[in-house]
PDB file of all heavy atoms in Angstrom:
ATOM      1  N   ALA C 138      16.994  -6.500  -3.328  1.00 98.00           N
ATOM      2  CA  ALA C 138      18.008  -7.203  -2.305  1.00 98.00           C
ATOM      3  C   ALA C 138      19.432  -6.933  -2.785  1.00 98.00           C
ATOM      4  O   ALA C 138      20.118  -6.694  -1.901  1.00 98.00           O
ATOM      5  CB  ALA C 138      17.710  -8.682  -2.248  1.00 98.00           C
ATOM      6  N   ARG C 139      19.627  -6.884  -4.041  1.00 97.00           N
ATOM      7  CA  ARG C 139      21.046  -6.525  -4.345  1.00 97.00           C
ATOM      8  C   ARG C 139      21.206  -5.058  -4.312  1.00 97.00           C
ATOM      9  O   ARG C 139      22.457  -4.614  -3.978  1.00 97.00           O
ATOM     10  CB  ARG C 139      21.203  -6.933  -5.816  1.00 97.00           C
ATOM     11  CG  ARG C 139      21.379  -8.542  -6.027  1.00 97.00           C
ATOM     12  CD  ARG C 139      21.675  -8.999  -7.473  1.00 97.00           C
ATOM     13  NE  ARG C 139      20.530  -8.930  -8.351  1.00 97.00           N
ATOM     14  CZ  ARG C 139      20.435  -8.100  -9.265  1.00 97.00           C
ATOM     15  NH1 ARG C 139      21.441  -7.325  -9.684  1.00 97.00           N
ATOM     16  NH2 ARG C 139      19.401  -8.079 -10.088  1.00 97.00           N
ATOM     17  N   LEU C 140      20.245  -4.276  -4.525  1.00 97.00           N
ATOM     18  CA  LEU C 140      20.391  -2.808  -4.422  1.00 97.00           C
ATOM     19  C   LEU C 140      20.697  -2.307  -3.040  1.00 97.00           C
ATOM     20  O   LEU C 140      21.633  -1.639  -2.688  1.00 97.00           O
ATOM     21  CB  LEU C 140      19.027  -2.118  -4.932  1.00 97.00           C
ATOM     22  CG  LEU C 140      19.009  -0.574  -4.994  1.00 97.00           C
ATOM     23  CD1 LEU C 140      19.920   0.026  -5.957  1.00 97.00           C
ATOM     24  CD2 LEU C 140      17.568  -0.252  -5.186  1.00 97.00           C
ATOM     25  N   GLU C 141      20.044  -3.036  -1.897  1.00 98.00           N
ATOM     26  CA  GLU C 141      20.264  -2.760  -0.642  1.00 98.00           C
ATOM     27  C   GLU C 141      21.362  -3.572   0.020  1.00 98.00           C
ATOM     28  O   GLU C 141      21.652  -3.408   1.277  1.00 98.00           O
ATOM     29  CB  GLU C 141      19.001  -2.968   0.176  1.00 98.00           C
ATOM     30  CG  GLU C 141      17.865  -2.012  -0.234  1.00 98.00           C
ATOM     31  CD  GLU C 141      18.145  -0.557   0.131  1.00 98.00           C
ATOM     32  OE1 GLU C 141      18.015  -0.234   1.388  1.00 98.00           O
ATOM     33  OE2 GLU C 141      18.431   0.152  -0.765  1.00 98.00           O
ATOM     34  N   ASN C 142      21.790  -4.736  -0.655  1.00 98.00           N
ATOM     35  CA  ASN C 142      22.768  -5.567  -0.168  1.00 98.00           C
ATOM     36  C   ASN C 142      22.446  -6.149   1.112  1.00 98.00           C
ATOM     37  O   ASN C 142      23.023  -6.199   2.070  1.00 98.00           O
ATOM     38  CB  ASN C 142      24.146  -4.772   0.069  1.00 98.00           C
ATOM     39  CG  ASN C 142      25.268  -5.791   0.251  1.00 98.00           C
ATOM     40  OD1 ASN C 142      25.362  -6.970  -0.246  1.00 98.00           O
ATOM     41  ND2 ASN C 142      26.283  -5.388   0.893  1.00 98.00           N
ATOM     42  N   VAL C 143      21.219  -6.706   1.127  1.00 98.00           N
ATOM     43  CA  VAL C 143      20.549  -7.412   2.309  1.00 98.00           C
ATOM     44  C   VAL C 143      19.890  -8.668   1.765  1.00 98.00           C
ATOM     45  O   VAL C 143      19.535  -8.832   0.575  1.00 98.00           O
ATOM     46  CB  VAL C 143      19.469  -6.558   3.008  1.00 98.00           C
ATOM     47  CG1 VAL C 143      20.151  -5.305   3.522  1.00 98.00           C
ATOM     48  CG2 VAL C 143      18.378  -6.137   2.064  1.00 98.00           C
ATOM     49  N   PRO C 144      19.577  -9.683   2.654  1.00 98.00           N
ATOM     50  CA  PRO C 144      18.861 -10.930   2.208  1.00 98.00           C
ATOM     51  C   PRO C 144      17.486 -10.363   1.705  1.00 98.00           C
ATOM     52  O   PRO C 144      16.872  -9.554   2.241  1.00 98.00           O
ATOM     53  CB  PRO C 144      18.817 -11.636   3.551  1.00 98.00           C
ATOM     54  CG  PRO C 144      19.908 -11.194   4.392  1.00 98.00           C
ATOM     55  CD  PRO C 144      19.990  -9.750   4.171  1.00 98.00           C
ATOM     56  N   VAL C 145      16.978 -11.236   0.872  1.00 98.00           N
ATOM     57  CA  VAL C 145      15.574 -10.907   0.335  1.00 98.00           C
ATOM     58  C   VAL C 145      14.513 -10.904   1.481  1.00 98.00           C
ATOM     59  O   VAL C 145      13.458 -10.214   1.260  1.00 98.00           O
ATOM     60  CB  VAL C 145      15.249 -11.937  -0.898  1.00 98.00           C
ATOM     61  CG1 VAL C 145      14.877 -13.348  -0.330  1.00 98.00           C
ATOM     62  CG2 VAL C 145      14.064 -11.292  -1.732  1.00 98.00           C
ATOM     63  N   GLU C 146      14.741 -11.721   2.431  1.00 98.00           N
ATOM     64  CA  GLU C 146      13.702 -11.781   3.575  1.00 98.00           C
ATOM     65  C   GLU C 146      13.605 -10.362   4.246  1.00 98.00           C
ATOM     66  O   GLU C 146      12.498 -10.098   4.619  1.00 98.00           O
ATOM     67  CB  GLU C 146      14.178 -12.800   4.678  1.00 98.00           C
ATOM     68  CG  GLU C 146      14.072 -14.196   4.235  1.00 98.00           C
ATOM     69  CD  GLU C 146      15.280 -14.760   3.322  1.00 98.00           C
ATOM     70  OE1 GLU C 146      16.204 -13.937   3.108  1.00 98.00           O
ATOM     71  OE2 GLU C 146      15.284 -16.003   3.171  1.00 98.00           O
ATOM     72  N   ARG C 147      14.723  -9.630   4.365  1.00 98.00           N
ATOM     73  CA  ARG C 147      14.640  -8.277   4.856  1.00 98.00           C
ATOM     74  C   ARG C 147      13.739  -7.331   4.016  1.00 98.00           C
ATOM     75  O   ARG C 147      13.017  -6.519   4.470  1.00 98.00           O
ATOM     76  CB  ARG C 147      16.108  -7.662   4.979  1.00 98.00           C
ATOM     77  CG  ARG C 147      16.181  -6.394   5.444  1.00 98.00           C
ATOM     78  CD  ARG C 147      16.644  -6.203   6.927  1.00 98.00           C
ATOM     79  NE  ARG C 147      17.043  -4.882   7.181  1.00 98.00           N
ATOM     80  CZ  ARG C 147      18.316  -4.322   7.155  1.00 98.00           C
ATOM     81  NH1 ARG C 147      19.324  -5.346   6.944  1.00 98.00           N
ATOM     82  NH2 ARG C 147      18.607  -3.145   7.360  1.00 98.00           N
ATOM     83  N   ILE C 148      13.937  -7.483   2.588  1.00 98.00           N
ATOM     84  CA  ILE C 148      13.205  -6.723   1.710  1.00 98.00           C
ATOM     85  C   ILE C 148      11.689  -6.988   1.847  1.00 98.00           C
ATOM     86  O   ILE C 148      10.798  -6.122   1.973  1.00 98.00           O
ATOM     87  CB  ILE C 148      13.782  -6.935   0.345  1.00 98.00           C
ATOM     88  CG1 ILE C 148      15.107  -6.549   0.044  1.00 98.00           C
ATOM     89  CG2 ILE C 148      12.710  -6.296  -0.694  1.00 98.00           C
ATOM     90  CD1 ILE C 148      15.349  -5.058   0.221  1.00 98.00           C
TER      91      ILE C 148
END
Side-chain angles (χ1 to χ4, degrees):
R139 286 186 285 114
L140 187 66
E141 295 293 286
N142 196 26
V143 296
V145 75
E146 289 84 352
R147 175 107 165 259
I148 297 295

